[in-house]
Amino acid sequence: MNQTTDQTAEPLLNERLATSGFRFTPQRQSVYAVLLSERDHPTAEDVFIRAKREMPEISLATVYNCLEAFVKCGLARQVTVERGAARFCPNMREHSHFYCDVCVRVFDLPLSGEVARDLPPGFRAVRVDLTIHGSCPDCESAAGLTPAGEP
Amino acid sequence: MNQTTDQTAEPLLNERLATSGFRFTPQRQSVYAVLLSERDHPTAEDVFIRAKREMPEISLATVYNCLEAFVKCGLARQVTVERGAARFCPNMREHSHFYCDVCVRVFDLPLSGEVARDLPPGFRAVRVDLTIHGSCPDCESAAGLTPAGEP
DNA sequence: GTGAATGCAAAACCTTTGCAACTGG
DNA sequence: CCAGTTGCAAAGGTTTTGCATTCAC
């Protein structure tokens, strides 16, 4: 549901890697394509499984390597919404995350960075990590429809 | 620097555990005392090392058990400011965290929960996890004093 | 007395690392 | 060519689990 981002981001891969001293490899192209195709904040293992569909010989270590390279050159973010496996997201705009405790999905929220404005004196903010936990619209309405049991 | 919290929280341990179906044990008292004494957001292993000073026979598994019990009965929070070990904090007031990338310390910030007000329709917020990364006053002033090398 | 908690060790889980072979620029 | 990358396997750090013993209530 955000095709413009796909189209602007995809061509960047090659040059963005190059300007950061990384090489462009088929594995990195595959992993990045996976990140862009399903923007559901996959874990490294999720990416691994999906990338293997197109490139069966790819290894998990390479997926970690690729994801690390993307984070370092500004093509992806590592997101920590829960303990356990890290998740990755190719949305580089300033945003926050909503974690649905019910369906365990992660949503991007367009929240502004005004949060860091009222810091105590002396602190300098570089990055804001904001995750809101709760229930998403799907799970909220599902909960409302089924008060006790099925009809 | 916050003695009132210590004094109000300590007596709660016994009854708070009981009302949640947990038992009061010497280990839980030790672990909780450790949490209250140094409020520097220790990891489970930090707590383990400190608790062993007073109770040498305590085990790491028990420390994890105690911390889990505290989180479940509302005596402590598990804080994830970085990947790696979880940190624990006995401050149950609504607050956020500041993670200093330089000295790797964690500070409590009195930030309000207004962040969750402008959620898209349908989302219901239950908890807000906010961590601001940057440099703390100590590290900011230290950086300013030493432009290149020592005099 | 009984279920919960402890301590120990082993396992599980996620991630990083070592290294030989390979390859992109 | 050659530093960066790959794939594999092994190791690393954190957390959980199994189980016999002990303990709080």
Side-chain angles (χ1 to χ4, degrees), chain B residues 75-97:
Chain B
L75 285 165
R77 286 170 166 235
Q78 191 187 58
V79 178
T80 304
V81 285
E82 44 175 356
R83 307 225 43 88
R87 290 156 174 273
F88 294 87
C89 126
N91 178 359
M92 295 304 290
R93 287 166 298 188
E94 175 142 77
H95 69 286
S96 57
H97 293 103

Side-chain angles (χ1 to χ4, degrees), chain A residues 24-34 47-60 62-63 66:
Chain A
F24 175 83
T25 68
Q27 288 86 345
R28 291 197 172 142
Q29 182 162 38
S30 274
V31 168
Y32 193 56
V34 164
V47 173
F48 175 52
I49 291 168
R50 295 172 191 174
K52 269 208 290 201
R53 296 198 289 243
E54 296 292 314
M55 181 177 276
E57 71 279 13
I58 197 172
S59 78
L60 181 55
T62 296
V63 171
C66 294

Side-chain angles (χ1 to χ4, degrees), chain B residues 22-23 25 27-28 57-59 62 65:
Chain B
F22 292 107
R23 287 184 182 164
T25 67
Q27 287 86 348
R28 292 199 172 143
E57 71 279 13
I58 198 172
S59 77
T62 296
N65 174 327

Side-chain angles (χ1 to χ4, degrees), chain A residues 78 80 83-84 86 98 109 111 115 118-135 137 140, chain B residues 78 80 83-84 86 98 109 111 115 118-137 140:
Chain A
Q78 191 187 58
T80 304
R83 305 225 44 88
F98 187 95
L109 291 182
L111 219 63
V115 177
D118 43 355
L119 277 178
F123 287 89
R124 186 173 60 87
V126 168
R127 185 165 62 90
V128 174
D129 261 17
L130 173 60
T131 302
I132 298 175
H133 296 247
S135 48
E140 273 295 282
Chain B
Q78 191 187 58
T80 304
R83 307 225 43 88
F98 188 95
L109 290 181
L111 221 63
V115 176
D118 42 355
L119 277 177
F123 287 90
R124 186 172 59 86
V126 168
R127 185 165 61 90
V128 173
D129 261 17
L130 173 60
T131 302
I132 298 174
H133 296 246
S135 48
C136 71
E140 272 295 284

